Amino acid sequence: MPSGAELAPARFDEPDVFALTVAQQEEMRGLYEGEADIGPTRDAWMFEREHGGTFLAARIDGRPVGCGGIARFDDTRGELKRMYVEPGSRGHGLGRRILDALEQEARELGYVAVVLETGDKQPEALGLYVSSGYERIPCYEPYASRELSLCFEKQLG
């Protein structure tokens, strides 16, 4: 993890944290020729504990450099959303640290598994998820008919 980075709960709609999620979506539009997340609009309430969610931000000197959240998928599973590490902070294990922390949060929220959707043009993300124990599953809606989508699930122990 980059030196001095701290990982802590954050509000999805904090302006500087939300800016990271906008950057994530812009990066996806660049990779996928204008297409970003086609799922439901993400709102701050979805990442609040009372709604079965959480959102974390990694900060260096108070500035967010990475983020990710868990939102309720169904009664037993959370869905990983908006995982992102800014390009200048990649390659130091920050994504894995965020993922590990989100999985722990999912356990605390009572989930037995985590699902996620990612794209086929993101080899680093795919490598992170597979090496962390995620297994391919058939894509769920609204991603089921989207050729570029790959869906995964991990049972939480």
Side-chain angles (χ1 to χ4, degrees):
M1 183 165 186
S3 178
E6 295 181 13
L7 187 58
R11 284 200 48 89
F12 179 74
D13 58 358
E14 287 178 46
D16 58 351
V17 172
F18 189 73
L20 275 180
T21 70
V22 170
Q24 183 254 1
Q25 290 295 288
E26 285 300 315
E27 188 171 322
M28 295 305 100
R29 284 185 193 93
L31 281 174
Y32 297 103
E33 301 173 6
E35 192 173 343
D37 191 356
I38 64 168
T41 301
R42 297 292 157 197
D43 296 312
W45 68 266
M46 300 171 87
F47 297 105
E48 294 174 356
R49 288 195 90 72
E50 60 266 24
H51 296 286
T54 190
F55 203 80
L56 302 176
R59 298 175 188 268
I60 296 177
D61 297 326
R63 184 179 65 83
V65 297
C67 62
I70 295 286
R72 178 177 299 282
F73 183 73
D74 60 26
D75 288 342
T76 62
R77 297 177 293 176
E79 183 180 18
L80 187 69
K81 298 302 292 181
R82 299 298 188 257
M83 273 286 294
Y84 183 71
V85 175
E86 69 175 10
S89 297
R90 293 177 185 164
H92 302 283
L94 182 53
R96 186 169 306 276
R97 183 166 174 212
I98 293 169
L99 182 60
D100 290 346
L102 287 170
E103 290 172 359
Q104 183 56 41
E105 292 283 330
R107 285 181 194 92
E108 291 173 13
L109 287 163
Y111 297 125
V112 299
V114 172
V115 298
L116 66 90
E117 180 273 344
T118 192
D120 61 359
K121 295 181 181 178
Q122 297 169 255
E124 295 84 0
L126 292 168
L128 172 64
Y129 300 137
V130 170
S131 70
S132 296
Y134 285 79
E135 296 180 358
R136 284 281 304 272
I137 59 171
C139 277
Y140 46 88
E141 293 299 333
Y143 308 109
S145 63
R146 191 175 182 205
E147 289 186 25
L148 61 89
S149 288
L150 302 172
C151 293
F152 292 83
E153 181 173 29
K154 179 178 180 177
Q155 298 297 313
L156 302 174

